[in-house]
Amino acid sequence: MHLNYAGGFAETVVELADYERAGLDIVFVPEAYSFDAVSQLGFIAAKTERLQIASGIFQLYSRTPALTAMTAAGLDFVSGGRFTLGLGASGPQVIEGWHGVPYDAPVGRSREVIEICRMVWRRERLVYRGRYYQLPLEGGTGLGKPLKLINHPVRERIPIALAAIGPKNVALAAELAEAWQPIFYLPEKSAEVWGKAVAEGQARRDPVLGPLDVIAGAPLAIGEDVAHLRDRSRPELALYIGGMGARGRNFYKAIQDAYLEGRKDEAEALVPAELVEKISLIGPESYLRERLATYRDAGVTTLNVTPLAPTHQARIALIERVRALAD
């Protein structure tokens, strides 16, 4: 599951121990223009024992490649080898607006950041001559020195999950990353939309990486009278589809026009019902069995669920039930 951007963090972390006992495997902590994820991930590492922790996601541009590698190694250390490095490009509105650095070459930078991180974790002297990163820096004072990580990492290959939806970045994830994290994954359409890119990347994949872990997110509710909960996804879908991206750089025109003109209810209503239904795990247990089989057949190996229930005990029960169904 993933934690929310704001509110209830301490309470949720207390609850994580119960989710862990219920069968939760991994928790993702987001990092947008919110509190940083690193401090929260370290806190969770101290409060849990078995649970895997992941950044969901660190933005490529907000840290240097070496700092990204150091941070990942540090979180893997304090968690006893339980960290997954979630990486993604974000978008120009955040990267240039919040971080004040150019948003350029997300695919090329993704490749180079991954390569540099793995060099750092192998404790190689950092000499890298990429298109976007040169280490030591060329120019400057000329005093840059090839260095290697002082500490010995818990693992020399920390798993990397690359968030990607564009074909070139999806191909890169399938080639270089241990895991791929798309957003709003609709399994019936996955082969049509991403199949070619995934196959292209996997054709270049090093077997040492193992099979690609495909992480699909879905809100979760189980019961005979829960279908109405699917509509709780509409505000987030309308925000991501219509509210993110500048005019002229967004292809979902009707939803964007409504959203940016303040007609958010209209934007939410324009989100297709089929999309709302099929990116969720909401319905009777028999329906969930069918959906889980569909996700599995589409290549999904990890479900990132958001349990929708009013009480902590009810959310625990949802984790237990979906775990049993998935197994």
Side-chain angles (χ1 to χ4, degrees), residues 34-62:
S34 52
F35 289 147
D36 77 289
V38 181
S39 55
Q40 297 175 79
L41 285 161
F43 187 80
I44 292 170
K47 298 292 184 178
T48 54
E49 296 177 359
R50 177 191 59 83
L51 194 66
Q52 301 288 311
I53 60 174
S55 52
I57 56 175
F58 287 166
Q59 299 152 2
L60 292 174
Y61 304 87
S62 59

Side-chain angles (χ1 to χ4, degrees), residues 187-260:
E188 286 87 348
K189 296 286 187 179
S190 60
E192 176 186 342
V193 175
W194 289 312
K196 182 179 178 181
V198 171
E200 178 187 326
Q202 289 185 322
R204 299 191 295 266
R205 187 176 182 84
D206 188 335
V208 75
L209 292 173
L212 180 67
D213 181 13
V214 180
I215 304 166
L220 169 68
I222 306 173
E224 297 297 327
D225 187 27
V226 296
H228 64 283
L229 294 175
R230 294 170 185 164
D231 285 334
R232 289 178 60 171
S233 298
R234 285 185 179 274
E236 181 183 21
L237 286 162
L239 168 64
Y240 273 78
I241 294 170
M244 294 188 181
R247 287 191 186 276
R249 301 295 183 92
N250 187 320
F251 299 101
Y252 310 100
K253 189 175 188 308
I255 296 176
Q256 185 187 51
D257 285 348
Y259 197 96
L260 295 184

Side-chain angles (χ1 to χ4, degrees), residues 88-273:
S90 186
Q93 290 179 318
V94 173
I95 299 307
E96 296 185 355
W98 185 251
H99 294 290
V101 296
Y103 184 87
D104 64 346
V107 178
R109 288 188 184 275
S110 294
R111 176 180 294 277
E112 294 190 12
V113 168
I114 290 172
E115 291 175 349
I116 292 167
C117 281
R118 288 179 173 153
M119 289 179 67
V120 170
W121 299 333
R122 292 192 298 265
R123 299 190 71 242
E124 297 176 8
R125 293 204 175 274
L126 204 47
V127 177
Y128 188 86
R129 291 289 176 263
R131 181 173 180 181
Y132 306 102
Y133 300 103
Q134 297 82 40
L135 301 167
L137 178 68
E138 294 179 348
T141 65
L143 299 176
K145 182 177 180 180
L147 300 170
K148 66 179 180 180
L149 188 67
I150 294 172
N151 312 87
H152 288 260
V154 175
R155 296 178 289 179
E156 71 169 24
R157 204 185 80 228
I158 296 167
I160 294 173
L162 188 63
I165 54 173
K168 292 182 180 179
N169 223 16
V170 170
L172 182 69
E175 176 190 353
L176 279 189
E178 280 81 3
W180 166 45
Q181 189 174 1
I183 193 170
F184 306 139
Y185 188 94
L186 202 163
E188 286 87 348
K189 296 286 187 179
S190 60
E192 176 186 342
V193 175
W194 289 312
K196 182 179 178 181
V198 171
E200 178 187 326
Q202 289 185 322
R204 299 191 295 266
R205 187 176 182 84
D206 188 335
V208 75
L209 292 173
L212 180 67
D213 181 13
V214 180
I215 304 166
L220 169 68
I222 306 173
E224 297 297 327
D225 187 27
V226 296
H228 64 283
L229 294 175
R230 294 170 185 164
D231 285 334
R232 289 178 60 171
S233 298
R234 285 185 179 274
E236 181 183 21
L237 286 162
L239 168 64
Y240 273 78
I241 294 170
M244 294 188 181
R247 287 191 186 276
R249 301 295 183 92
N250 187 320
F251 299 101
Y252 310 100
K253 189 175 188 308
I255 296 176
Q256 185 187 51
D257 285 348
Y259 197 96
L260 295 184
E261 290 167 11
R263 295 178 280 117
K264 293 185 180 180
D265 289 346
E266 182 181 334
E268 292 171 18
L270 286 169
V271 175

